[in-house]
Amino acid sequence: MARIFPPDLVQAQSDWIRTYEALARTPFRTVLRRRLQLLSCRIAQHPYWSGGACRSSAAHTELRRQARAALQRKRKSRAA
């Protein structure tokens, strides 16, 4: 059974993925590195994790999976 993450947490993870991809295409971008740091802090400090949710690597992996799926849906809808 898949975990249900708050939409703002999934959005933050999606933003993190997009920022990381942008940094991979154009390295040495201080603005992008700072954005990654900010998003990493937002994800790590999100209230979801303090509400008794498991902070296991499996939970973080599932969050990334859901964020990537949300990005793919968004990209497909733009292409259509």
Side-chain angles (χ1 to χ4, degrees):
M1 182 172 159
R3 295 175 188 267
I4 299 174
F5 294 101
D8 62 325
L9 181 56
V10 175
Q11 183 61 49
Q13 183 66 53
S14 295
D15 292 346
W16 191 98
I17 292 168
R18 274 195 314 251
T19 304
Y20 189 87
E21 289 171 349
L23 185 59
R25 286 189 303 270
T26 56
F28 308 112
R29 297 296 305 252
T30 301
V31 173
L32 294 174
R33 288 196 310 270
R34 286 183 182 152
R35 176 122 174 96
L36 275 179
Q37 289 176 331
L38 173 70
L39 289 167
S40 294
C41 289
R42 282 187 187 164
I43 292 165
Q45 299 299 319
H46 193 278
Y48 174 81
W49 303 118
S50 63
C54 180
R55 294 192 80 149
S56 69
S57 60
H60 287 278
T61 300
E62 178 62 17
L63 173 60
R64 286 189 297 274
R65 188 197 66 73
Q66 288 184 26
R68 283 190 188 101
L71 278 174
Q72 287 176 349
R73 284 191 302 273
K74 190 179 285 188
R75 288 173 179 161
K76 284 182 182 179
S77 68
R78 283 187 201 155

